Each structure stands twice: as structure tokens, then as C-alpha cells.
Amino acid sequence: AHVTGVQTCALPISADQGYASAQYNLGFMYANGRGVPQDDAEAVRWYRRAAEQGNAIAQSNLGVMYASGEGVPQDDVEAVRWYRLAAEQGHALGQFNLGGIYLNGRGVPQDIVRAVTILLPAVEKDNRAAIGLLARALALNPRVAIPQDGLRGAYVALLLARADGIAIADDSLAAVQGRLSPEEVAAAEDDAQLRWRRTPAGEARHAAEVAAFGQRDWAAIRRLAFGYYEGIETPRNGMRAYGWATIAAA
């Protein structure tokens, strides 16, 4: 967690005493110039001390510093090393960063299969940045091999990315959907809806549905049905599309 206020005065003492969380927070402060002069080299020094103690977010941030050459000479290989350590601890940002490295082939040979495998756990945590990156990976290779137990998560990711306005080719969706049973597709589409409903856009969509139904606004209801069918401004959901179309036709 980041710190504010009176806590900041105790940070250098705690960091010097070897507390990894204090070391990370002090690094964050130097990186962003919060409460101290902005200093990338100092940020790297404190991130490193925390990262060497196994602090996952410090490891991921240290990787970012190496990838961008801030406070240290630019070094993709070192970036990969620190991203991997964070990702192996299940840190979603580390997984996102490492997946991006493999997707773009920076510091490692490009490997879309490995990128997708690394990104899937972060996607399951509903990390939107990872979802967008996974969608891009699948757009590059819709037929990329995905473990069967990861297909549903990949499909959910694509549905959410399209609802967020990211351009997702129909071929990418179809390639993943085609590897799922009809029951798995329906469950994945419902899962995507549950996640979407927790976002501000999803809450607004739900309010629009309630209003349209309450006012018997048939034109709006038809638009809702089309949106569910196409995955426009909401994740695609075949059963909801059918339901709203049935209401509109009644």
C-alpha cells in the first residue's frame, strides 16, 4: 500500500531497518516526487532493496525502470528477470508486464503462446490492462494454443475488451468460442456480464435497461437486444439478446 501524511516521516527509518514495504513505498515516492525530490536513481535503489526481499510490486516496478531506462541503463533482459519474479508470485501487474514482453519480443524471442499463458491468471483477476493485452495477442493469432482450462477465461477477456471499445475481430471471438461447448459459452457470457456490471459503464447499462423496461420504450429495448447480440457497449450475451428481443416483439 502507498502511504500519505505523517507516515512519510517514519519511512526512511523503517526502510533503513530493512522493512520491504517501507522500502517499496520510499522508492515509489522518489519515482513520483511525492514528499521528496523526484529521483529515479533513488527510486531504483529502494525498489531494488525491497525487490531483493521478495516484494512483488517492487520487483515489477524495478522491471519497469529497467525497461524504460529510468534510473538505470536500459536493459530488457533485467526487466524480464524482475517481471518474472513478480509474475511467479501471482502479481497481476508483473504478469501483465511479462506477458507484454513476450508478446512484443523485447528481451526474449516473441512467443504469443507463452504471452497468453502468462496473461491468463491476471485476466482471471479482472485486470483490465491484461485483458486488453490478451485480446491483442489473440488478434495476432486467433488459433494460438490455449490450455482447455484457460479457454473460458480467454473468451471472457475478449468479450470484456470488445465491450470496452477495443477492436476485437469476429474471427478471434469465433476461434475461441468454437473450442467451448454451448454450455461453456453461456457460462462465460454470464461471467462477463457479472464482471461488467461491477464497472461504472455496466451500472449505467443496467440503469438504462430498468428505465427502458419500466417505460415500455420498445425502440430502446430493441437497441438493448442488438447490443447484447453484437457485444456493443456490453459483453455479448446470446441469452440476454434473445430475452430482450422477445420482449421487444411481444
Side-chain angles (χ1 to χ4, degrees):
H2 304 327
V3 295
T4 58
V6 296
Q7 291 174 297
T8 59
C9 65
L11 269 178
I13 297 172
S14 298
D16 277 329
Q17 290 176 344
Y19 290 98
S21 60
Q23 291 167 343
Y24 159 72
N25 279 317
L26 195 53
F28 179 86
M29 290 169 64
Y30 274 113
N32 295 279
R34 295 191 179 180
V36 294
Q38 198 280 334
D39 189 327
D40 288 333
E42 277 296 288
V44 167
R45 184 166 79 90
W46 289 109
Y47 281 155
R48 188 185 307 280
R49 290 182 64 175
E52 287 173 347
Q53 293 193 70
N55 184 288
I57 191 168
Q59 291 168 340
S60 182
N61 284 9
L62 185 55
V64 171
M65 303 298 274
Y66 273 109
S68 60
E70 295 176 297
V72 287
Q74 198 279 334
D75 189 331
D76 286 332
V77 174
E78 274 295 290
V80 169
R81 182 167 80 89
W82 290 109
Y83 288 157
R84 180 175 287 113
L85 288 170
E88 287 173 351
Q89 294 194 65
H91 188 256
L93 185 57
Q95 292 162 341
F96 164 75
N97 286 327
L98 186 61
I101 283 284
Y102 276 101
L103 181 61
N104 296 312
R106 284 189 58 181
V108 293
Q110 186 183 44
D111 188 334
I112 295 176
V113 173
R114 193 161 187 180
V116 168
T117 301
I118 291 166
L119 288 167
L120 284 174
V123 167
E124 290 296 328
K125 299 182 184 81
D126 208 23
N127 182 289
R128 287 305 176 91
I131 289 171
L133 197 57
L134 177 62
R136 187 158 68 87
L138 291 168
L140 290 173
N141 183 1
R143 302 285 177 180
V144 64
I146 300 174
Q148 190 65 33
D149 60 2
L151 284 172
R152 177 172 161 175
Y155 185 56
V156 169
L158 291 173
L159 294 174
L160 289 169
R162 175 177 272 192
D164 271 337
I166 298 173
I168 305 296
D170 288 338
D171 288 348
S172 298
L173 275 174
V176 178
Q177 181 181 349
R179 290 182 257 178
L180 296 168
S181 69
E183 294 77 15
E184 289 171 325
V185 169
E189 291 181 350
D190 285 343
D191 185 15
Q193 275 297 318
L194 287 173
R195 295 191 191 188
W196 182 254
R197 289 292 174 94
R198 295 196 293 265
T199 69
E203 292 175 356
R205 169 79 180 201
H206 180 63
E209 290 176 1
V210 172
F213 186 75
Q215 297 166 13
R216 298 298 191 268
D217 186 340
W218 307 118
I221 288 171
R222 284 192 293 272
R223 288 195 297 272
L224 291 169
F226 182 75
Y228 277 121
Y229 180 76
E230 291 291 335
I232 297 173
E233 297 181 353
T234 188
R236 176 190 291 179
N237 191 292
M239 290 302 296
R240 288 176 182 267
Y242 176 78
W244 282 104
T246 301
I247 292 171

